């Protein structure tokens, strides 16, 4: 079997057994990245740096180093700053920007022995659901190159699905790990807000932004998350918890469960608002089939309600732009990235720099955000949204009295065609309906492959857990993946 077919756990074994060296593996994947250039997944490939790091990983292994991710090649969404590669956040504004330091998540993965092959395409400043808002062109879905891979972590999802990397980092503010994972048949986890440090992640909406993983299995997500997470004094919102090993407990199943029914005793709540009449029937069919598998594994399904699900769309699209308008004010041509040539005066420099550097969706969000924060509209929009955000979080806590995990679809449809949504941004906003509630509440969520819908496009099952219950989510997804093969399907021509 060629090494690109192996996930992180399998590669760890292959490297430990000396079936493959990190240099061989890295060379192989670099060749694949070149061969699949048409996908548009990578914005920057660091072949030289990766090969050097691989050679040093092989040497460390020969000396007995047993770091958990030693010699495993990964790639990072281009919103993580990296000292050895440029960081653009998918924006012209940051073209040519080089950070003097690594994001905490990147640094921790490096400390665990992982290698970075480069930086992955994404929507500009992570604003979008299809990777169509990148200033550096769209990303193609490996399952159908005429379709989007989802967004904003579209490059991460496409690279993992096309077997260019075994796993990649992503960020999720309102669904940007879960939705592209769903659209590409990959497994994604967004942990509880505060589990991964935001230090060195280009900020979009700081009260929502969270780092996570896109990989080929729950086990691989667990391996990476164990290395990435844990308290970081450099992020004031980082949860004061020690790093956790999410991978080791996976084999155990629910406490007191048997091998054939590893999910015995697990109560899965299905919010009725996650199964509206408008849900595409093929998506619903795939999700229900995955739920039936979970039942066979011992879980019980029950109905719950998240009555403010629909409201999460306006609430998110007020709060996220409000925070973005503030975060993006730093791009004024003075300190970071692009600066307009020959401005007449200072004001002209600010104006022209921002007019040239930002794309249309980013400008739209800055305008919406500035509007909802302005005197006279603050109470009517921003404050109302904040109050509703709390109520949405409370609704989840009511559900978690009756169930351990909440499940439903990730998105109302499979991946759409590139360009299909035209100029109407609201179409994409509405499609975020099932990922936004969990984001607003700060809860952990996963997308787990659940088979295929229309035109043999992948469908993801969403699992949402209570705060810091990542271990249970991963365990549930792992049990499903032990019993089914959906996550092993390879796109055609890959
Ligand atoms: N699609 C959502 C948006 O456009 C979510 C993006 C994200 O999670 N980064 O804002």
């Amino acid at each position: 079997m060629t090494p690109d077919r192996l996930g992180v756990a399998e590669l760890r074994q292959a490297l430990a057994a000396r079936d493959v060296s990190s240099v061989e593996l890295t060379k192989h994947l670099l060749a694949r990245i070149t061969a699949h250039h048409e996908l548009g997944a990578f914005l920057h490939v660091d072949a030289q740096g990766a090969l050097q790091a691989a050679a040093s990983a092989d040497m460390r292994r020969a000396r007995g180093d047993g770091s958990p991710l030693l010699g495993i090649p990964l790639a990072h969404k281009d919103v993580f700053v990296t000292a050895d590669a440029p960081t653009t956040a998918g924006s012209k504004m940051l073209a040519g920007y080089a950070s003097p330091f690594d994001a905490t998540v990147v640094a921790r993965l490096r400390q665990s022995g992982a290698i970075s092959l480069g930086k992955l395409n994404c929507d500009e400043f992570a604003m979008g659901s299809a990777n169509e808002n990148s200033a550096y062109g769209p990303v193609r879905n490996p399952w159908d190159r005429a379709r989007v891979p989802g967004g904003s972590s579209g490059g991460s999802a496409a690279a993992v699905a096309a077997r260019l990397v075994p796993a990649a980092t992503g960020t999720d503010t309102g669904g940007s790990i879960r939705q592209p994972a769903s659209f590409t048949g990959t497994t994604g986890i967004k942990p509880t807000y505060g589990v991964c440090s935001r230090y060195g992640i280009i900020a979009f909406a700081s009260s929502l932004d969270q780092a996570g993983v896109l990989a080929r299995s729950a086990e691989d997500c667990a391996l990476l998350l164990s290395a990435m997470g844990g308290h970081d004094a450099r992020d004031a919102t980082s949860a004061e918890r020690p790093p956790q090993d999410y991978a080791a407990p996976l084999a155990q199943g629910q406490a007191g469960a048997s091998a054939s029914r590893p999910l015995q005793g697990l109560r899965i709540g299905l919010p009725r608002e996650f199964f509206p009449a408008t849900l595409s029937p093929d998506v619903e069919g795939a999700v229900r089939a995955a739920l039936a598998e979970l039942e066979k594994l011992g879980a019980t399904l029950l109905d719950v309600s998240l009555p403010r699900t629909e409201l999460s769309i306006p609430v998110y699209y007020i709060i996220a732009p409000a925070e973005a308008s503030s975060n993006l004010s730093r791009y004024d041509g003075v300190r970071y990235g692009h600066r307009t040539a020959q401005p007449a005066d200072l004001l002209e420099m600010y104006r022209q720099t921002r007019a040239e550097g930002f794309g249309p969706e980013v400008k739209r969000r800055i305008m919406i955000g500035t509007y909802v924060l302005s005197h006279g509209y603050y109470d009517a929009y921003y404050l109302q949204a904040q109050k509703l955000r709390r109520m949405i979080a409370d609704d989840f806590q009511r559900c978690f009295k009756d169930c351990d995990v909440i499940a439903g679809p990730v998105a109302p449809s499979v991946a759409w065609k590139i360009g299909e949504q035209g100029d109407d941004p609201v179409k994409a906003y509405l499609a975020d309906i099932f990922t936004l509630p969990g984001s607003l509440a700060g809860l952990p969520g996963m997308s787990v492959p659940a088979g295929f819908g229309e035109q043999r496009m992948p469908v993801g099952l969403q699992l949402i857990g209570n705060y810091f219950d990542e271990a249970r989510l991963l365990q549930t997804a792992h049990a499903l993946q032990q019993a089914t093969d959906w996550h092993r399907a390879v796109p055609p021509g890959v």
Side-chain angles (χ1 to χ4, degrees):
M1 185 183 288
T2 56
D4 55 84
R5 302 290 127 147
L6 306 179
V8 177
E10 294 152 334
L11 283 173
R12 263 163 45 109
Q13 282 178 8
L15 287 164
R18 312 291 200 271
D19 291 341
V20 68
S21 73
S22 182
V23 168
E24 285 164 353
L25 177 60
T26 302
K27 280 188 181 155
H28 178 78
L29 294 179
L30 286 168
R32 284 184 68 79
I33 292 168
T34 309
H36 287 281
H37 184 72
E38 87 289 351
L39 292 172
F42 275 79
L43 292 180
H44 176 83
V45 181
D46 184 13
Q48 216 191 339
L51 285 168
Q52 267 169 18
S56 110
D58 286 335
M59 256 150 55
R60 282 164 61 186
R61 186 177 299 283
R63 288 201 300 264
D65 186 333
S67 300
L69 298 175
L70 188 63
I72 306 267
L74 306 172
H76 300 294
K77 183 178 183 180
D78 206 19
V79 296
F80 291 88
V81 303
T82 42
D84 59 357
T87 303
T88 68
S91 181
K92 260 204 314 210
M93 187 59 102
L94 285 175
Y97 171 69
S99 164
F101 67 98
D102 277 339
T104 296
V105 160
V106 170
R108 288 192 177 168
L109 286 168
R110 229 191 273 281
Q111 276 153 22
S112 301
I115 292 167
S116 171
L117 296 183
K119 307 295 285 291
L120 296 160
N121 204 344
C122 58
D123 283 302
E124 185 174 5
F125 289 104
M127 298 174 191
S129 305
N131 218 112
E132 291 179 286
N133 297 336
S134 168
Y136 303 101
V139 174
R140 299 183 178 279
N141 190 320
W143 288 93
D144 174 354
R145 284 161 172 75
R147 291 177 192 260
V148 302
S152 63
S153 311
S156 308
V160 174
R163 275 59 184 166
L164 308 183
V165 281
T169 55
T171 57
D172 189 312
T173 301
S176 279
I177 288 173
R178 291 161 286 162
Q179 184 257 25
S182 171
F183 279 12
T184 57
T186 53
T187 305
I189 184 162
K190 166 210 125 61
T192 307
Y193 182 81
V195 163
C196 287
S197 168
R198 289 184 298 108
Y199 183 71
I201 298 176
I202 306 262
F204 162 15
S206 306
S207 76
L208 293 152
D209 296 344
Q210 182 55 207
V213 189
L214 291 103
R216 308 217 194 106
S217 69
E219 188 184 10
D220 289 1
C221 284
L223 285 165
L224 260 75
L225 192 60
S226 307
M228 289 158 61
H231 180 248
D232 178 12
R234 290 192 171 110
D235 171 3
T237 58
S238 166
E240 298 217 12
R241 301 177 145 241
Q244 198 175 325
D245 183 350
Y246 299 101
L250 283 187
Q252 287 162 17
Q254 284 272 115
S258 68
S260 64
R261 289 171 71 80
L263 301 180
Q264 188 69 44
L266 182 76
R267 299 163 305 163
I268 302 181
L270 310 179
R272 73 177 64 93
E273 296 79 6
F274 278 32
F275 296 89
T278 47
L279 181 63
S280 144
D282 57 322
V283 170
E284 173 156 5
V287 166
R288 298 249 185 230
L291 290 169
E293 289 294 332
L294 292 171
E295 246 183 326
K296 276 194 226 158
L297 296 169
T300 24
L301 308 180
L302 57 129
D303 292 327
V304 294
S305 175
L306 290 169
R308 276 165 275 250
T309 296
E310 268 191 4
L311 281 173
S312 67
I313 299 171
V315 169
Y316 173 88
Y317 280 98
I318 289 170
I319 292 174
E323 294 183 18
S325 72
S326 165
N327 275 326
L328 271 58
S329 65
R330 75 190 71 178
Y331 305 108
D332 58 5
V334 178
R335 283 184 70 186
Y336 302 102
H338 178 71
R339 178 184 299 166
T340 191
Q342 317 255 309
D345 54 30
L346 185 63
L347 195 61
E348 172 80 6
M349 185 193 74
Y350 293 153
R351 280 198 184 130
Q352 273 307 109
T353 295
R354 290 168 71 80
E356 292 163 8
F358 291 135
E361 182 61 23
V362 174
K363 287 179 182 163
R364 181 180 295 121
R365 305 260 182 133
I366 291 172
M367 285 190 278
I368 294 171
T370 307
Y371 180 83
V372 298
L373 288 176
S374 60
H375 181 72
Y377 295 106
Y378 184 95
D379 288 359
Y381 294 103
Y382 184 69
L383 203 61
Q384 284 290 94
Q386 291 287 37
K387 288 180 181 165
L388 278 162
R389 180 179 187 176
R390 163 46 72 88
M391 293 166 91
I392 289 166
D394 289 347
D395 289 343
F396 275 104
Q397 290 314 306
R398 256 189 297 282
C399 287
F400 284 126
K401 288 204 175 95
D402 300 322
C403 65
D404 309 301
V405 168
I406 289 170
V410 174
S413 72
V414 297
W416 53 83
K417 296 235 167 77
I418 294 174
E420 187 182 315
Q421 292 195 328
D423 292 333
D424 184 0
V426 176
K427 277 193 193 156
Y429 299 174
L430 293 175
D432 288 340
I433 181 160
F434 304 131
T435 50
L436 298 180
S439 294
L440 289 165
L443 294 166
M446 286 190 76
S447 175
V448 191
F452 298 89
E454 204 189 303
Q455 308 287 324
R456 211 178 144 71
M457 291 306 291
V459 174
L461 168 76
Q462 184 174 207
L463 300 174
I464 302 173
N466 211 341
Y467 298 112
F468 302 107
D469 217 2
E470 286 75 16
R472 199 198 303 259
L473 287 185
L474 289 162
Q475 216 169 66
T476 307
H478 180 67
L480 181 67
Q481 295 185 334
Q482 295 294 99
T484 60
D485 273 335
W486 293 312
H487 64 297
R488 282 187 233 280
V490 180
V494 153

